Amino acid sequence: MKVVIETPKYSFFKYNRSGDHYRKVFFSPVPTIFNYGYIDGVKGADGMEVDAVVLGPRMAQGMVMEFSRCYGVVRFMDDSIKDDKYLFYISGYRSSHILSFYFKIYALFKTFRYLLSEQRISRCKSLGIEEISNDII
C-alpha cells in the first residue's frame, strides 16, 4: 500500500492535496502527534482517499511510503460519516491510549469547528482503536 503524507508530524495545520500542491484546510489548536495522509487509490465512505496515520519520525509533506500491512484502525465518525484512519508503524513509541485520547480531543474540536464555521451541530466521535494482525483494506 502506498501512503502519501499530507500533514507532517507536529503540524498545527491540516493539509489536503489539491492537484500537485497542498492547501491548508484548517488550523488545529492541537498539533498532530503523527504523520497524517492517505492511502493512494483507496476510497473511503466520504468519497476521499482513506486516511492514514503513520507513527514514526517526522516525514516531509508529499513523501510516499510503501507499507505491506497496517497495524490497526482508528474508528472515527466525522460529520456523521464513517472516516476511519488506518495505522502504519515505522519506529518509536506507540500507545493506543495516547492515540485514543488524541482522537477524542480531535472529535471535540471538529464538533466545535462545524458549530462555529458552519453554524450547525455535527456528529463527530472517536469510536476507539482496533488493533489488527492482518490487512483489512
Side-chain angles (χ1 to χ4, degrees):
M1 289 173 274
K2 285 185 183 177
V3 173
V4 180
I5 301 301
E6 290 176 305
T7 303
K9 187 176 185 177
Y10 307 127
S11 178
F12 281 93
F13 287 98
K14 168 86 168 57
Y15 293 88
N16 278 351
R17 187 173 183 174
S18 179
D20 61 349
H21 67 282
Y22 294 86
R23 63 180 178 81
K24 290 179 185 174
V25 179
F26 62 82
F27 173 81
S28 173
V30 180
T32 59
I33 57 173
F34 43 75
N35 299 288
Y36 192 79
Y38 62 89
I39 302 171
D40 193 31
V42 180
K43 300 285 184 187
D46 60 1
M48 299 174 67
E49 283 93 359
V50 170
D51 293 336
V53 169
V54 180
L55 304 171
R58 187 174 199 272
M59 300 164 69
Q61 187 176 66
M63 186 171 197
V64 178
M65 299 286 298
E66 185 76 38
F67 291 94
S68 60
R69 64 182 294 249
C70 63
Y71 288 87
V73 61
V74 177
R75 300 293 181 195
F76 197 82
M77 186 75 60
D78 187 350
D79 198 16
S80 300
I81 299 171
K82 179 181 173 183
D83 191 21
D84 294 341
K85 287 101 175 62
Y86 288 84
L87 301 172
F88 297 90
Y89 180 72
I90 297 173
S91 65
Y93 181 73
R94 64 179 176 182
S95 166
S96 59
H97 298 294
I98 291 172
L99 279 175
S100 181
F101 179 72
Y102 177 90
F103 279 104
K104 285 179 184 179
I105 298 296
Y106 183 68
L108 185 62
F109 164 72
K110 291 283 290 212
T111 300
F112 282 112
R113 181 177 174 269
Y114 284 114
L115 184 61
L116 295 172
S117 68
E118 299 180 21
Q119 299 168 353
R120 65 184 177 88
I121 298 192
S122 177
R123 183 167 183 253
C124 298
K125 187 174 183 177
S126 178
L127 304 169
I129 296 175
E130 179 182 331
E131 293 186 23
I132 56 176
S133 57
N134 56 19
D135 291 333
I136 59 173
I137 301 174

